[in-house]
Amino acid sequence: MLKWVLLAGFAGVLFYWWRQKQRHPRQRPEVESLVRCSRCGRYVSVHSALRTTEGDFLCSEHAGPKQAGDPD
Ligand SMILES: [Zn+2]
């Protein structure tokens, strides 16, 4: 008798744990943080931006090497 009570309790815990897992399938921020390109001032998502050694961010257009004649 006690065996079945323990088994039912264990199954309940397992089911509760499984439901908790189902409720949060993936943890990701709802709003992607934006950073400002230090060259053109455009806001780009932090994932597509490139971080310079100075700590500034560059958009994908300005992430490449500096072009001659570009204003700095
Ligand atoms: Zn830019």
Side-chain angles (χ1 to χ4, degrees), residues 6-47:
L6 286 174
L7 207 70
F10 184 65
V13 169
L14 266 184
F15 181 70
Y16 180 77
W17 172 76
W18 174 77
R19 271 199 37 190
Q20 291 285 102
K21 234 177 93 172
Q22 294 288 108
R23 217 182 289 172
H24 308 284
R26 222 184 288 166
Q27 282 196 337
R28 55 183 289 184
E30 286 186 16
V31 180
E32 207 171 21
S33 45
L34 295 174
V35 291
R36 200 155 171 257
C37 173
S38 63
R39 298 287 296 282
C40 64
R42 207 165 54 176
Y43 284 95
V44 289
S45 75
V46 71
H47 295 293

Side-chain angles (χ1 to χ4, degrees), residues 39 58-72:
R39 298 287 296 282
L58 293 173
C59 68
S60 52
E61 262 180 63
H62 296 119
K66 269 188 196 175
Q67 284 168 17
D70 254 7
D72 205 341

